Amino acid sequence: MADTDVRVWLVERTYSDDEQNLIILVYATPDGERYFRKERALTSFTGDSRDTTAALDVDPDNLGSVDEADLREQYAAEATRMADEHDPADPI
C-alpha cells in the first residue's frame, strides 16, 4: 500500500446481464462517501482464479464520489461490517 492509497471494502457484487458476462465489484470507503468499481470477466472466476478480497488499497484518483445519501449509508454500513468481520486479504 502506498502512503496515499485508500483502503476500500467490498460492498456490492452484481452480475451484468449483457453479453459481456461481467461481474461488477464495488468497494467503498468506511464512510460510504467514495467508491471503486472493478469489472471482471465471469471466466476469470474459474480454474486458477484470482481471489476477490474483502478490501483493496487503491489510488485516491481512482475513486468516485457517492452522491446519493441512501446509497452512501448503505455502502458505509456494508464497508463497516466487512471491516469488522474480515481481514483485508480474506477471499470473499
Side-chain angles (χ1 to χ4, degrees):
M1 178 167 146
D3 288 342
T4 59
D5 285 352
V6 175
R7 177 154 292 158
V8 291
W9 295 87
L10 184 64
V11 296
E12 186 175 275
R13 181 179 358 208
T14 57
Y15 175 74
S16 175
D17 290 335
D18 64 11
E19 69 238 25
Q20 296 176 1
N21 290 322
L22 294 176
I23 300 294
I24 301 165
L25 304 169
V26 178
Y27 290 79
T29 54
D31 60 12
E33 293 185 7
R34 299 191 297 169
Y35 75 98
F36 176 74
R37 178 181 161 132
K38 183 175 185 177
E39 296 178 355
R40 290 186 49 197
L42 186 58
T43 56
S44 74
F45 287 92
T46 59
D48 292 334
S49 66
R50 299 169 291 166
D51 285 334
T52 298
T53 58
L56 297 173
D57 297 321
V58 298
D59 185 309
D61 291 339
N62 292 329
L63 296 174
S65 295
V66 180
D67 298 327
E68 297 176 35
D70 290 343
L71 188 58
R72 193 168 39 248
E73 286 180 31
Q74 176 187 332
Y75 283 179
E78 185 61 14
T80 299
R81 184 187 72 78
M82 290 292 284
D84 289 345
E85 295 180 10
H86 297 281
D87 288 329
D90 283 353
I92 303 296

